[in-house]
Amino acid sequence: MEINDLAQPSAPALDPAALAALMAHVRGPVLLPGDDGYDAERSGFQLARRHRPAVIVGARCAEDVVAAVRFARDQGLPVAVQATGHGLSAATEGGLLISTRRMAGVRVDAAAGTARVEAGVVWGQVVEAAAPHGLAPLNGSSPGVGVISYTLGGGVGVLARTYGFAADLVRSVDLVTADARLRQVTADADPELFRALLGGGHGLGVVTAMEFGLVPVARLYGGQLVFGGEQLDEAVAAYLRWTETVPDELTSSLALIAYPDLPQLPEPLRGRYLAQIRIAYTGSAEEGERLVAPLRAVGPRVSDDLREMPYAESHTIHRDPSDPHAYDGDNALLSGLDAAALRRVAALTGPAAPTMCVVQLNHLGGALATGGATAGTVGHRDARYALRVLSPLATTEDGSGSDDTALAPVRALHAEALAAVAPWRLGRSVNFLFGPHGDRPDAADVARSVHDTDAHHRLTGLKACHDPANLFRFHPAAAPAPAAVPV
């Protein structure tokens, strides 16, 4: 496409000379609507929503990001960022999209016990690079999730109760701010901005690289215990009792899933309602066997693959889907929970539900509650559980996104399920907010639910200081103010 060929009616009037200069300056591709590769570049793992930017910069280096931000600032374009698109909630219409997936460098310093990653790196790359040194990152359950966005939201991972949030081990952040300046943010150089980035950093700039600590974990005892729906009530009660007893070295979650009867699903899952208990224990296999005995006492299992494994196989514990798909979801951070309430959630979201739901209860506490040396702004550290409800969505025939008419009943079902745990609700986790919750009537409450009042006010002030024109756009639910300054 020629630079002047901007026939798209929704495209803003871009300065052709400035666009030509941008194309000449950056190493990565610059794509406009209609260009080959535009549709692929704007698409991510989340298929319910796709960005529709006026310009895409496929950044290959930090200098490309600086040039893109300067162009957007000068042209008055809002900026969105995407690496993998797992957490895509609100799609950008117009504006400039910076795609960081080409920035895939990983460097492990085994002697220092650290890793430095570029903006497009996914967790599987870091696990693979650290494993030969007997080290592990505080990665999430899916190897395909992007490191940066996950960590900026806090990051509750496989080793969460033992070592805390991924944000707790961050040493430095390379950040392009709204003035198109690349700066290295550390606890010493800029403690307020550093703290804000770790748990509240979406929307304060574009992160081009991050350095964080690794932990000395080479192997795990872990896997899944899976119970059939007929044992669900007892499995739920046993799991909640059990979480009151386990040490911090054991991180776990409970998933309740009514699988559809589809031929592409494995036979043991097809058409079944299952309770899956996922285990990751850093102690010995012998002690792990002793710790899980109360769960096995629930009764016969559909499957039981608990075993000692190299940490490089930790992604097999949760078995998250690897293929892009459309979904929407919400969550609640809880001070506690009882079995009756969780059974109510199961009744609402199980086989009789009007739409398929995936319910996951993460056991929190341990190192998550105590915080790290960074003292970031991760909200509600005192939560004991995180309850997540997610539903797949159908996509439109042209593949442009989900059918919005189907979203209202899904949201209503999720709200009803989360209402069952209202007595214990502390707030929300920004990592597990899927979908544009800022378009809801309670958007201001959604925004405030992510952080406590003091953190909310600090983030508002930092956003006003570093991005007064609101150049960087993010999920409105993570904003420190409901209609002005998304973070």
Side-chain angles (χ1 to χ4, degrees):
M1 174 182 285
E2 296 295 327
I3 293 173
N4 290 315
D5 184 13
L6 296 174
Q8 297 282 333
S10 61
L14 301 177
D15 180 349
L19 189 55
L22 176 68
M23 291 177 170
H25 183 83
V26 302
R27 292 171 52 191
V30 178
L31 302 170
L32 305 176
D35 284 347
D36 289 342
Y38 173 89
D39 283 338
E41 196 72 36
R42 70 191 177 99
S43 300
F45 185 85
Q46 162 65 289
L47 298 183
R49 294 157 196 94
R50 300 172 80 188
H51 294 293
R52 295 175 179 85
V55 186
I56 302 175
V57 174
R60 293 188 180 277
C61 57
E63 290 75 18
D64 283 1
V65 175
V66 170
V69 170
R70 182 179 297 114
F71 173 83
R73 181 198 62 189
D74 293 345
Q75 296 293 303
L77 298 175
V79 174
V81 186
Q82 176 168 287
T84 66
H86 274 74
L88 175 62
S89 53
T92 296
E93 297 288 340
L96 183 144
L97 173 66
I98 299 174
S99 171
T100 62
R101 62 185 177 86
R102 294 170 181 80
M103 298 174 66
V106 179
R107 185 174 72 244
V108 169
D109 184 334
T114 61
R116 178 177 171 82
V117 305
E118 293 183 338
V121 170
V122 298
W123 278 120
Q125 295 173 257
V126 189
V127 172
E128 182 180 2
H133 308 287
L135 299 171
L138 299 189
N139 56 289
S141 59
S142 171
V145 166
V147 171
I148 300 300
S149 186
Y150 168 96
T151 304
L152 293 179
V156 178
V158 177
L159 302 173
R161 281 176 42 81
T162 309
Y163 293 103
F165 291 95
D168 292 340
L169 295 191
V170 173
R171 308 286 183 85
S172 68
V173 178
D174 291 2
L175 183 75
V176 178
T177 44
D179 56 1
R181 171 188 167 196
L182 176 63
R183 61 179 76 188
Q184 186 174 76
V185 184
T186 66
D188 292 330
D190 194 335
E192 284 299 312
L193 181 57
F194 184 67
R195 182 185 182 194
L197 287 168
L198 305 178
H202 299 90
L204 289 170
V206 183
V207 175
T208 61
M210 181 179 285
E211 182 179 318
F212 49 83
L214 302 170
V215 296
V217 176
R219 39 73 56 199
L220 284 175
Y221 170 80
Q224 288 192 10
L225 297 172
V226 182
F227 297 93
E230 66 280 0
Q231 295 172 298
L232 184 136
D233 285 356
E234 178 53 30
V236 162
Y239 179 73
L240 288 176
R241 290 194 302 268
W242 179 76
T243 58
E244 300 287 345
T245 68
V246 296
D248 293 352
E249 292 77 20
L250 200 156
T251 302
S252 69
S253 65
L254 166 68
L256 307 176
I257 308 175
Y259 287 94
D261 189 3
L262 297 174
Q264 57 263 43
L265 289 174
E267 183 62 36
L269 304 181
R270 196 179 304 164
R272 300 196 66 176
Y273 187 34
L274 300 176
Q276 303 170 340
I277 300 176
R278 293 87 169 262
I279 305 290
Y281 177 56
T282 55
S284 68
E286 293 76 15
E287 182 62 10
E289 288 283 302
R290 187 191 69 79
L291 287 170
V292 301
L295 297 177
R296 285 183 167 141
V298 169
R301 277 82 65 196
V302 173
S303 65
D304 180 344
D305 67 356
L306 294 179
R307 67 199 186 281
E308 187 155 19
M309 65 177 74
Y311 192 78
E313 295 179 10
S314 61
H315 64 278
T316 65
I317 295 173
H318 287 75
R319 303 168 205 167
D320 293 326
S322 58
D323 294 331
H325 57 286
Y327 48 93
D328 191 86
D330 201 349
N331 71 87
L333 296 172
L334 308 175
S335 61
L337 190 59
D338 66 25
L342 191 50
R343 284 195 292 267
R344 171 64 177 161
V345 173
L348 290 166
T349 60
T355 186
M356 180 184 175
C357 292
V358 177
V359 174
Q360 180 166 310
L361 183 72
N362 288 74
H363 182 210
L364 306 179
L368 293 166
T370 57
T374 61
T377 56
V378 179
H380 310 295
R381 282 184 177 268
D382 55 340
R384 293 175 60 191
Y385 300 100
L387 181 65
R388 303 155 55 183
V389 186
L390 181 147
S391 292
L393 300 174
T395 55
T396 55
E397 290 185 6
D398 63 2
S400 62
S402 61
D403 181 357
D404 288 341
T405 60
L407 187 56
V410 169
R411 287 277 174 85
L413 177 59
H414 293 175
E416 187 178 7
L418 293 176
V421 299
W424 301 276
R425 189 163 193 165
L426 299 172
R428 285 177 168 92
S429 166
V430 68
N431 279 136
F432 305 134
L433 274 173
F434 303 116
H437 291 266
D439 64 355
R440 291 160 43 161
D442 64 342
D445 291 336
V446 174
R448 285 189 289 267
S449 71
V450 174
H451 299 102
D452 63 34
T453 301
D454 288 345
H456 186 85
H457 289 158
R458 285 198 304 273
L459 291 172
T460 302
L462 284 165
K463 179 68 173 180
C465 174
H466 291 284
D467 186 16
N470 194 24
L471 183 69
F472 301 114
R473 306 295 170 85
F474 182 63
H475 189 312
V485 286
V487 169

